[in-house]
């Protein structure tokens, strides 16, 4: 399994580096521009207040104060860019790792060796999880040195909690993408199916926030549970979010592994 | 105990019966040919043997071990060369060798083989020609000193010189005690190297042949262009069929031994002579169509 894991880092190291650099640069950008936001505080506050409450709720930014660094990062970085980058990174790893290898036929090199399919699956899986941790660290923790450089006070606990929630969200997303990739034999098809599921989840969350009669649909979406704004307001991660992400990850992982173990692998 | 035992193997893809109830044994230290035209079921059978795909019915046993139940244990003893070698295009040959060496936990005899096959393993594989990719595939298959080699069309797309190197390598491996199972859709391939041949067509075995018998089933397409006049009746020879003729030439199909025809042609002055092997498809039509 360690050989497969090592190979993943060799093949996808550049992708991970690019994502990590993007995460660092984005948070740097937001921290650097935050003083400018404060200068425009009054105008922006008026603009925010003029927006419909339903719309703010739909985007998870109702009751959000963007005029402190935590609120600003919640709005710009943690609620948008971090989950978006996590989704792209995790889908890319899972898609190229399983269905991509089946499509290109290179999986035969591993399958012809004395290594079980589960070792191949979990080698990629644990490699992906290590990459998830590295990316999350790069996307969240630079806030501390950057806040020092720009003389901005931060609430440490909030950023740690957002990091933990991002990890659980990324774990669930990665497990889902591994399941989709284990089922498919074409990388493009994997991206389409996985992208479709994520898109539907996003739409469900959006509609449920706008239309009260179907508010139950939010429970079907990861985006409802991934809520940095809740952490900002309550200084804790909702237990249900952790539970849902962990349970989904375990179910998707087991389903993906069982299917990959028993499926026909042919080009 | 046979090295490979296949019993009533079936693999259906929906309504398509890719392999439909084949059974045969391969003895230890044998070079066994698995011959059939494209789409006959050769690769599907091999993929079942390698546990890449699972049989609809039947069993594959290698060295007395069920290929599905103990696939990991078995693959320590099997070297596999796919029909079309697929490589990581951003890796060098050395990267591939290193990867397989770690997975197989074996000593590295690959560099010697690369030298023998005149392959530069330091270049990225996207720069390798088809023949060089095949060479690397063969090296990967032979790594770890496997007891059995399963080769799917090992000389596909290779030039004749390299084909000779492959045969030499396989004969050497066989002389060291390895069992070799190779598929091909070229009669010439299996004739040159195999001890015994099974012939598959449309998912079913149509014949088992010794190589000597198989040679009798050769068909040649001969076109003789005469410099002067010739006697058509001189070519009424057993096994020779005249398929067309002009005032200057004869086209003939020859089944089996070609020497009587060559001797007869020697009695005439020729302007040109063309001899081709008939395709496997033609041979199947001639000998196995009605089975």
């Amino acid at each position: 399994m360690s050989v497969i894991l090592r190979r993943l880092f060799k093949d996808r190291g550049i992708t991970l580096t690019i994502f990590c650099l993007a995460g660092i640069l984005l948070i740097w950008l937001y921290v650097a521009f935050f003083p400018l936001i404060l200068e425009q505080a009054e105008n922006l506050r008026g603009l925010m207040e003029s927006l419909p409450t339903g719309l703010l709720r739909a985007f998870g930014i109702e009751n959000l104060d963007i005029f402190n660094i935590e609120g600003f990062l919640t709005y710009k970085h943690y609620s948008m860019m971090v989950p978006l980058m996590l989704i792209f990174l995790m889908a890319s790893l899972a898609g190229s790792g399983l269905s991509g290898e089946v499509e290109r036929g290179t999986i035969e090199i591993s399958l012809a060796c004395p290594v079980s399919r589960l070792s191949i699956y979990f080698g990629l899986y644990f490699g992906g999880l290590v990459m998830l941790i590295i990316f999350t660290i790069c996307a969240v923790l630079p806030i501390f040195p950057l806040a020092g450089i720009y003389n901005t006070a931060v609430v440490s606990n909030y950023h740690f909690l957002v990091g933990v929630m991002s990890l659980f969200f990324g774990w669930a997303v990665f497990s889902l993408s591994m399941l989709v990739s284990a089922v498919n034999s074409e990388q493009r098809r994997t991206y389409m199916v996985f992208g479709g599921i994520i898109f539907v989840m996003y739409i469900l969350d959006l509609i449920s926030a706008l239309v009260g009669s179907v508010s139950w649909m939010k429970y079907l979406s990861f985006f409802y549970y991934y809520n940095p704004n809740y952490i900002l307001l309550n200084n804790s991660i909702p237990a249900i979010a952790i539970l849902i992400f962990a349970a989904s990850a375990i179910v998707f992982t087991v389903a993906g592994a069982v299917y990959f173990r028993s499926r026909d692998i042919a080009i | 105990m046979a090295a490979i035992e296949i019993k009533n193997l079936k693999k259906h893809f929906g309504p398509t019966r890719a392999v439909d109830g084949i059974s045969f044994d391969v003895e230890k230290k044998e070079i066994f040919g698995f011959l059939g035209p494209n789409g006959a079921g050769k690769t599907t059978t091999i993929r079942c043997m390698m546990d890449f795909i699972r049989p609809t019915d039947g069993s594959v046993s290698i060295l007395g071990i069920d290929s599905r139940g103990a696939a990991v244990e078995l693959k320590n003893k099997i070297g596999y060369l796919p029909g079309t070698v697929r490589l990581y295009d951003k890796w060098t040959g050395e990267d591939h060798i290193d990867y397989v060496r770690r997975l197989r936990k074996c000593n590295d005899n690959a560099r010697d083989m690369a030298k023998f096959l005149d392959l530069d393993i330091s270049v990225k594989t996207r720069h390798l020609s088809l023949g060089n990719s095949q060479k690397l595939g063969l090296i990967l298959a032979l790594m770890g000193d496997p007891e059995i080699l399963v080769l799917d069309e090992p000389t596909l797309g290779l030039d004749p010189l390299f084909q000779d190197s492959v045969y030499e390598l396989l004969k050497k491996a066989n002389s060291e005690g390895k069992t070799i199972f190779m598929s091909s859709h070229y009669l010439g391939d299996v004739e040159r190297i195999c001890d015994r041949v099974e012939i598959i067509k449309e998912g079913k075995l149509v014949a088992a042949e010794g190589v000597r018998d198989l040679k009798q089933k050769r068909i040649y397409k001969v076109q003789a262009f005469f410099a002067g006049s010739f006697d058509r009746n001189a070519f009424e020879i057993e096994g020779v069929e005249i398929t067309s003729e002009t005032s200057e030439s004869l086209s003939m199909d020859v089944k089996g031994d070609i020497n009587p025809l060559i001797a007869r042609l020697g009695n005439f002055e020729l302007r040109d002579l063309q001899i081709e092997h008939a395709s496997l498809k033609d041979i199947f039509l001639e000998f196995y169509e009605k089975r």
Side-chain angles (χ1 to χ4, degrees):
Chain A
M1 198 186 293
S2 63
V3 182
I4 307 280
L5 195 146
R6 211 178 113 132
R7 194 205 72 200
L8 180 70
F9 272 84
K10 184 177 171 182
D11 283 351
R12 308 300 292 178
I14 292 174
T15 305
L16 176 66
T17 307
I18 290 169
F19 271 81
C20 287
L21 285 176
I24 293 167
L25 287 174
L26 275 172
I27 199 165
W28 191 351
L29 187 80
Y30 295 138
V31 174
F33 277 89
F34 182 64
L36 289 177
I37 298 292
L38 288 180
E39 285 175 17
Q40 302 291 321
E42 283 311 309
N43 292 340
L44 288 169
R45 202 183 300 273
L47 180 68
M48 292 284 284
E49 283 169 3
S50 69
L51 293 173
T53 318
L55 189 66
L56 293 175
R57 197 185 317 126
F59 287 96
I61 54 173
E62 79 275 21
N63 305 322
L64 180 64
D65 179 7
I66 63 166
F67 304 106
N68 61 60
I69 188 70
E70 278 73 31
F72 181 61
L73 284 177
T74 299
Y75 173 53
K76 297 296 289 182
H77 191 54
Y78 297 137
S79 292
M80 291 170 69
M81 295 314 294
V82 170
L84 201 63
M85 290 172 76
L86 274 173
I87 288 166
F88 278 112
L89 176 63
M90 294 295 103
S92 148
L93 293 176
S96 63
L98 287 179
S99 54
E101 288 235 12
V102 174
E103 184 179 0
R104 289 187 294 274
T106 45
I107 199 159
E108 285 195 350
I109 296 175
S110 305
L111 287 176
C113 291
V115 55
S116 70
R117 290 187 185 195
L118 287 181
S119 295
I120 294 173
Y121 185 90
F122 282 108
L124 289 169
Y125 188 81
F126 290 125
L129 289 185
V130 173
M131 288 188 168
L132 166 67
I133 292 167
I134 293 170
F135 170 74
T136 307
I137 288 170
C138 291
V140 175
L141 294 191
I143 182 65
F144 298 115
L146 287 169
I149 292 168
Y150 289 93
N151 286 322
T152 306
V154 292
V155 181
S156 305
N157 194 45
Y158 168 72
H159 298 282
F160 280 120
L161 290 177
V162 169
V164 171
M165 180 183 256
S166 300
L167 278 177
F168 275 89
F169 173 77
W171 183 27
V173 164
F174 182 53
S175 303
L176 173 63
S177 58
M178 283 290 282
L179 168 61
V180 175
S181 192
V183 170
N184 284 296
S185 298
E186 291 169 31
Q187 194 169 338
R188 190 180 296 176
R189 193 179 162 88
T190 296
Y191 292 151
M192 280 175 62
V193 174
F194 173 72
I197 293 170
I198 292 294
F199 180 71
V200 167
M201 282 187 178
Y202 181 74
I203 295 296
L204 289 178
D205 189 45
L206 200 63
I207 292 174
S208 66
L210 294 170
V211 185
S213 60
V214 290
S215 64
W216 57 269
M217 289 199 304
K218 64 190 177 195
Y219 299 115
L220 303 174
S221 171
F222 281 165
F223 296 105
Y224 169 70
Y225 302 102
Y226 179 79
N227 190 348
N229 196 21
Y230 178 95
I231 301 175
L232 189 61
L233 296 173
N234 300 284
N235 199 28
S236 68
I237 303 175
I240 185 72
I242 299 298
L243 194 69
I244 290 290
F245 287 144
S248 305
I250 291 166
V251 169
F252 293 147
T253 302
V254 171
V258 168
Y259 192 88
F260 187 71
R261 186 170 176 267
S262 60
R263 65 168 288 191
D264 283 352
I265 297 179
I267 308 157
Chain B
M1 181 182 67
I4 301 171
E5 287 178 79
I6 292 183
K7 285 183 186 161
N8 192 33
L9 183 69
K10 291 180 184 173
K11 181 62 189 176
H12 301 169
F13 298 102
T16 307
R17 295 172 174 227
V19 176
D20 198 19
I22 64 171
S23 302
F24 61 86
D25 291 350
V26 179
E27 297 304 320
K28 280 186 177 171
K29 300 180 185 178
E30 187 176 26
I31 304 184
F32 184 88
F34 197 44
L35 187 66
N38 288 327
K42 303 185 298 292
T43 299
T44 302
T45 304
I46 286 176
R47 285 183 172 154
C48 286
M49 289 165 63
M50 293 302 295
D51 194 41
F52 296 167
I53 57 177
R54 273 65 195 265
T56 307
D57 196 9
S59 67
V60 177
S61 168
I62 299 177
L63 298 170
I65 304 167
D66 180 65
S67 74
R68 187 167 176 187
V72 176
E73 180 191 345
L74 262 181
K75 283 171 189 172
N76 259 324
K77 300 171 181 178
I78 301 175
Y80 167 69
L81 176 72
T84 308
V85 177
R86 317 277 181 145
L87 302 164
Y88 295 98
D89 57 5
K90 290 178 185 165
W91 291 15
T92 63
E94 270 181 280
D95 291 334
H96 284 83
I97 288 166
D98 185 52
Y99 179 60
V100 171
R101 184 175 56 77
R102 286 171 190 275
L103 284 179
R104 285 195 172 275
K105 298 183 179 79
C106 63
N107 291 326
D108 188 353
N109 54 347
R111 278 155 189 85
D112 294 337
M113 284 190 281
K115 206 171 174 183
F116 174 78
L117 292 170
D118 193 26
L119 174 68
D120 181 0
I121 53 174
S122 65
V123 297
K124 291 199 170 167
T125 56
R126 65 167 170 263
H127 301 304
L128 292 182
S129 64
L130 178 66
N132 282 334
S133 297
Q134 194 82 349
K135 286 180 189 180
L136 182 56
L138 196 60
I139 290 169
L140 299 178
L142 288 163
M143 281 177 70
D145 199 24
E147 286 178 47
I148 294 180
L149 288 173
V150 177
L151 313 171
D152 192 3
E153 308 265 7
T155 56
L156 189 71
L158 301 181
D159 60 66
L161 276 179
F162 178 55
Q163 284 183 17
D164 288 343
S165 303
V166 171
Y167 292 137
E168 196 179 329
L169 207 61
L170 295 182
K171 280 178 181 166
K172 183 169 172 281
N174 182 243
S175 69
E176 290 166 358
K178 296 187 198 319
T179 306
I180 299 174
F181 177 99
M182 61 175 271
S183 78
S184 181
H185 64 275
Y186 295 120
L187 193 57
D189 265 2
V190 294
E191 268 184 15
R192 284 184 64 174
I193 191 168
C194 295
D195 304 316
R196 198 160 58 88
V197 176
E198 283 281 358
I199 299 170
I200 185 170
K201 182 172 177 265
E202 292 170 3
K204 290 180 184 293
L205 292 181
V206 291
E209 305 276 8
V211 167
R212 192 176 297 172
D213 300 328
L214 201 62
K215 282 182 177 169
Q216 295 305 313
K217 289 190 167 58
R218 270 194 158 179
I219 300 178
Y220 303 89
K221 302 261 182 201
V222 178
Q223 261 195 305
F225 297 88
F226 297 93
S229 60
F230 64 94
D231 178 9
R232 182 190 188 283
N233 294 331
F235 299 98
E236 298 285 348
I237 306 168
E238 191 184 343
V240 176
E241 182 190 351
I242 297 171
T243 53
S244 68
E245 62 180 290
T246 67
S247 58
E248 296 180 336
S249 70
L250 279 178
S251 296
M252 295 163 277
D253 282 356
V254 183
K255 293 176 197 164
D257 191 2
I258 198 170
N259 285 309
L261 175 66
I262 298 292
R264 198 65 56 91
L265 283 167
N267 297 331
F268 299 91
E269 190 178 346
L270 293 175
R271 192 158 47 82
D272 199 2
L273 180 66
Q274 291 178 2
I275 303 176
E276 291 174 1
H277 289 289
S279 69
L280 194 59
K281 190 178 167 189
D282 291 335
I283 295 169
F284 269 79
L285 283 171
E286 182 64 32
F287 292 104
Y288 303 114
E289 189 61 21
K290 288 172 189 167
R291 297 190 190 199

